Amino acid sequence: MALRHYTLDFNLSTAVDSASTVPGLLSIFHEQEMTETVHDSDGRGYLATFVGKNGRLPPLVRGAKVDRYWPTTDGRLTEYDIDCVLYDEDSPYQNIKILHSQQFGNMLVLNGDINLAESDLPYTEAIMGSGKEDYADKEVLILGGGDGGILAQAVKLKPKMITMVEIDQKVIDGCKKYMRKTCGNVLDNLKGDSYQILVEDCVPVLKKYVQEERLFDYIINDLTAVPISTEPEEDSTWEFLRLIMDLSIKILHPKGKYFTQGNSANLTEALSQYEEQLGRLSCPVEFSKKVVCVPSYMELWVFYTVWKK
């Protein structure tokens, strides 16, 4: 049986002191702590909003111990049910947080950007080819992926060897403790029967592989999303993406595939710019893309598959 949820709207005709008014209104909800949704003993939900001529405005939760509000890539503000901080560390590269959401589980947040939650297996499956690829006895290269989600799924597919290159040891440290539903035990050691984790900058590693003429059947780029603009602050990110793509294609087996995330499906201009970059690589390529709903992102996300012509 589905639960019923009720909405209670307050029409305020004059200015009020919210500090004194809101607590009185909340007594309707059996004096429970103010949240965006309050449940009674029967499991029914109530949402309180303030209504004016221009629409409905929910009350913001202010002064919370954990910031609940995160912007989507296209500028919408979403509210999460985050209730505690499990991990908060600054590395030489970034701020790393792991937050707990009642709905999405533990969530890895890098420099204020939600990367992956325990709910987000659809992300991992999409960036690995959506279950349509045969990884058995193949050489696999993962760029980034410090949460261990891709590595944990890839080892199940019996590849010949997986090499994962992650620059930030503190990401690995936090995820192996607080993201175990995602990574399992693969981050406990830097080497396993069919994988190795290199805690290094991937660019020198890729350049070395180019010189050695190494080839990989699958390269999975989990480093960064496609930039949302070409403003000056984004230029370095675009340059980094182009460099990674070009080096990766050089070490991709002629029949191999390169997988990566794009960005929100709403950012059509940014995605078009990325696709233009694919046409400028040193080796001609073709590509396909797929749109997937990633639970904790609260957005549709685009993933790319690239291969040599």
Side-chain angles (χ1 to χ4, degrees), residues 24-246:
L25 296 174
L26 288 175
S27 65
I28 298 170
F29 300 128
H30 313 296
E31 299 182 350
Q32 294 191 40
E33 178 179 322
M34 187 176 83
T35 60
E36 79 284 4
T37 303
V38 183
H39 295 283
D40 68 9
S41 59
D42 296 327
R44 293 175 294 180
Y46 298 85
L47 174 67
T49 60
F50 300 100
V51 176
K53 291 187 298 183
N54 297 322
R56 176 180 295 168
L57 180 67
L60 296 179
V61 180
R62 301 177 184 273
K65 293 180 180 179
V66 183
D67 188 1
R68 305 163 63 95
Y69 301 99
W70 298 81
T72 60
T73 54
D74 57 353
R76 293 172 290 113
L77 193 64
T78 55
E79 182 178 3
Y80 286 81
D81 56 351
I82 296 168
D83 54 18
C84 68
V85 178
L86 299 171
Y87 186 80
D88 188 352
E89 293 283 342
D90 288 312
S91 76
Y93 311 102
Q94 58 202 335
N95 173 258
I96 308 152
K97 287 185 176 69
I98 298 178
L99 310 176
H100 178 260
S101 157
Q102 297 177 51
Q103 180 174 203
F104 302 122
N106 294 346
M107 302 167 55
L108 174 65
V109 180
L110 301 179
N111 284 344
D113 181 47
I114 295 173
N115 272 238
L116 195 78
E118 291 176 329
S119 62
D120 295 344
L121 183 60
Y123 176 100
T124 304
E125 291 176 337
I127 205 170
M128 293 180 63
S130 301
K132 298 178 180 178
E133 304 297 326
D134 180 10
Y135 281 81
D137 297 319
K138 300 292 174 47
E139 290 280 353
V140 181
L141 177 63
I142 302 171
L143 305 177
D147 52 73
I150 296 171
L151 180 60
Q153 295 303 313
V155 295
K156 298 176 184 177
L157 304 177
K158 309 298 183 184
K160 181 179 180 181
M161 175 56 72
I162 306 168
T163 301
M164 176 175 135
V165 188
E166 165 61 49
I167 196 171
D168 203 332
Q169 180 66 52
K170 286 194 174 183
V171 172
I172 295 173
D173 292 342
C175 290
K176 71 181 179 183
K177 184 173 183 180
Y178 295 108
M179 296 283 290
R180 294 191 76 83
K181 288 184 180 178
T182 295
C183 67
N185 63 0
V186 296
L187 298 180
D188 292 352
N189 299 289
L190 296 180
K191 288 190 177 182
D193 292 339
S194 61
Y195 70 89
Q196 61 175 339
I197 302 172
L198 307 180
V199 184
E200 299 181 40
D201 182 344
C202 71
V203 173
V205 174
L206 288 171
K207 289 180 176 179
K208 178 170 72 77
Y209 289 162
V210 171
Q211 291 178 344
E212 295 172 351
E213 299 184 345
R214 283 198 62 179
L215 293 178
F216 292 88
D217 300 290
Y218 293 105
I219 299 176
I220 304 169
N221 180 354
D222 193 34
L223 293 168
T224 184
V226 168
I228 62 174
S229 75
T230 54
E231 295 300 316
E233 63 268 20
E234 300 287 6
D235 283 350
S236 61
T237 307
W238 276 112
E239 290 173 7
F240 176 72
L241 278 177
R242 284 193 293 267
L243 175 62
I244 296 301
M245 285 191 293
D246 209 49

Side-chain angles (χ1 to χ4, degrees), residues 127 129 135 141 143 206 216-224 240-253 255-261 274 278 281 285-288 303-308:
I127 205 170
Y135 281 81
L141 177 63
L143 305 177
L206 288 171
F216 292 88
D217 300 290
Y218 293 105
I219 299 176
I220 304 169
N221 180 354
D222 193 34
L223 293 168
T224 184
F240 176 72
L241 278 177
R242 284 193 293 267
L243 175 62
I244 296 301
M245 285 191 293
D246 209 49
L247 291 172
S248 296
I249 293 302
K250 288 178 180 178
I251 60 173
L252 184 67
H253 190 279
K255 295 183 179 180
K257 290 185 179 178
Y258 172 87
F259 297 118
T260 190
Q261 63 167 316
Y274 175 75
L278 292 175
L281 301 179
V285 299
E286 295 180 300
F287 69 90
S288 64
F303 294 84
Y304 285 91
T305 303
V306 182
W307 61 93
K308 293 180 178 179

